[in-house]
Amino acid sequence: MTRSYDQSCPAARALDVVGGRWSLLIVRELLLGPKRYTDLVAGLPGIGPNVLAERLRALRDAGILSQAKLPPPAPSAVYELTELGAAMRPVVDELTRWGMRLPSPHRPGDTFRLNWVLGCLRASFRPEEASGVRETYEIRVDGDAFHLRVDDGVLDIRNGGAPDPACVITTDLGTFLAIGARLVDIQDVVARGLAQLEGELPAAARAIAILGAHPEATGGRHGIVGAVGASFRPDRALGVRETYEFVIAELVFHARVDDGTVEMDIGPAADAVTTLVTDLGTLLQLGSGSLPLEDALSAEVVDVHGDLEAALRMADAFGVVRADRPASAH
């Protein structure tokens, strides 16, 4: 049975339509283009088939979406947003922008889909950087492809390849997130073989300038060193006075912790009590909370040289999830 707030208020009427669990996430999925029922099931892990069918029916009755047939050679029924439904794009974008400001954006056990990153890209789009730009960028991440079409300050993001991309960037998820967060430079990751670029480097640089993280996202601190420093949690480092060293591929830097404060610097440290050695993708997983340090050690994607207990203190100080720490504590 459909529930209503029974209020003569536009906001309340809007929530009558999309305020129920899953409804807005269905709209989120369809903002990237038409989807088959099976595509929606894959993009909404945890939703039951009966619930999905009911939500689709309610959204269709409200004029938010409609059904259509894909043309041959593989005709099938798809769901797509109507003009009224597509008008929710700025609402979803603003909600995404607000959500990106919340603490602990990723919790252990959370599911992850590349499509959800695309919503973050759209939310971080800066029209002023795209004035006069008319080109398309194709991104391939771990076998999935999507493209971004910029037309003089207007952005459209869609699943699948593009027939006329100004550039094609092919990489893995960790590197893609690092590029978008401006932790690494596109020219650097291409030179190191972490990404492949087809097309002109200036086009790829424009895509990142238009869609990458805002400078204020890391408090003005750029690069891997700045990002690690930005994750420091003073409350977890009270009474701790020791130095930790990080070796990420060819980059070496260290963090000097002194009773709740930290100083980051490039280069090795003569007095490091422990050294963490890993690759960029694993570092991002550790930092996002999707990979506990102990699991990374067991999988041998991280090496610790020196005091293991100090490495665990370092994990606490820099917000890395510990296998023995409840998710709510992160």
Side-chain angles (χ1 to χ4, degrees), residues 241-257:
R241 292 181 173 85
E242 52 194 10
T243 300
Y244 312 118
E245 189 174 80
F246 302 83
V247 178
I248 313 300
E250 298 174 357
L251 175 63
V252 180
F253 60 98
H254 62 271
R256 194 176 303 279
V257 176

Side-chain angles (χ1 to χ4, degrees), residues 184-252:
V184 291
D185 181 75
I186 180 64
Q187 187 170 6
D188 181 46
V189 297
V190 170
R192 291 162 55 190
L194 296 173
Q196 293 76 50
L197 174 65
E198 301 172 34
E200 297 295 327
L201 183 62
R206 279 192 297 275
I208 295 163
I210 292 169
L211 297 159
H214 294 233
E216 60 269 24
T218 56
R221 290 173 285 190
H222 301 288
I224 300 173
V225 180
V228 172
S231 71
F232 179 69
R233 301 189 300 176
D235 60 307
R236 293 282 185 174
L238 294 176
V240 176
R241 292 181 173 85
E242 52 194 10
T243 300
Y244 312 118
E245 189 174 80
F246 302 83
V247 178
I248 313 300
E250 298 174 357
L251 175 63
V252 180

Side-chain angles (χ1 to χ4, degrees), residues 22-330:
W22 298 109
S23 297
L24 203 55
L25 297 185
I26 292 173
V27 173
R28 177 199 68 187
E29 294 298 301
L30 295 179
L31 282 172
L32 292 171
K35 295 282 193 300
R36 296 169 301 177
Y37 182 87
T38 52
D39 296 329
L40 289 171
V41 170
L44 298 165
I47 193 170
N50 292 339
V51 174
L52 177 56
E54 190 279 327
R55 295 295 186 272
L56 290 172
R57 183 168 52 251
L59 291 171
R60 183 188 59 205
D61 292 345
I64 303 298
L65 58 82
S66 62
Q67 284 183 273
K69 285 279 189 181
L70 288 178
S76 62
V78 294
Y79 295 90
E80 60 184 1
L81 293 176
T82 62
E83 183 178 353
L84 179 63
M88 291 195 66
R89 184 183 302 274
V91 177
V92 175
D93 287 351
E94 193 56 45
L95 184 64
T96 302
R97 273 189 287 270
W98 184 79
M100 291 166 67
R101 296 167 57 189
L102 295 175
S104 300
H106 189 100
R107 297 165 297 187
D110 281 355
T111 53
F112 179 85
R113 296 290 185 275
L114 178 62
N115 275 357
W116 305 340
V117 176
L118 305 189
C120 296
L121 287 178
R122 193 174 58 237
S124 66
F125 175 62
R126 284 169 285 174
E128 69 277 6
E129 295 282 349
S131 178
V133 177
R134 292 181 173 86
E135 54 192 6
T136 300
Y137 317 108
E138 182 175 324
I139 315 291
R140 302 171 187 169
V141 179
D142 292 333
D144 291 324
F146 63 94
H147 63 274
L148 312 101
R149 189 177 300 277
V150 176
D151 186 4
D152 191 20
V154 178
L155 172 69
D156 188 29
I157 301 180
R158 298 281 173 166
N159 290 119
D164 58 344
C167 68
V168 178
I169 300 173
T170 303
T171 188
D172 60 90
L173 179 61
T175 304
F176 170 66
L177 294 175
I179 295 170
R182 295 191 170 186
L183 304 186
V184 291
D185 181 75
I186 180 64
Q187 187 170 6
D188 181 46
V189 297
V190 170
R192 291 162 55 190
L194 296 173
Q196 293 76 50
L197 174 65
E198 301 172 34
E200 297 295 327
L201 183 62
R206 279 192 297 275
I208 295 163
I210 292 169
L211 297 159
H214 294 233
E216 60 269 24
T218 56
R221 290 173 285 190
H222 301 288
I224 300 173
V225 180
V228 172
S231 71
F232 179 69
R233 301 189 300 176
D235 60 307
R236 293 282 185 174
L238 294 176
V240 176
R241 292 181 173 85
E242 52 194 10
T243 300
Y244 312 118
E245 189 174 80
F246 302 83
V247 178
I248 313 300
E250 298 174 357
L251 175 63
V252 180
F253 60 98
H254 62 271
R256 194 176 303 279
V257 176
D258 185 5
D259 192 22
T261 65
V262 66
E263 292 183 6
M264 308 291 300
D265 204 358
I266 294 288
D271 57 342
V273 294
T274 191
T275 299
L276 182 85
V277 182
T278 189
D279 60 90
L280 177 61
T282 302
L283 180 71
L284 290 168
Q285 287 182 289
L286 290 168
S288 69
S290 61
L291 179 64
L293 178 60
E294 293 91 333
D295 291 354
L297 289 168
S298 297
E300 298 184 348
V301 293
V302 164
D303 285 330
V304 170
H305 300 161
D307 188 340
L308 180 58
E309 289 300 318
L312 296 177
R313 288 193 294 273
M314 176 192 68
D316 278 334
F318 289 92
V320 176
V321 171
R322 293 276 305 282
D324 59 353
R325 183 193 301 162
S328 60
H330 180 62

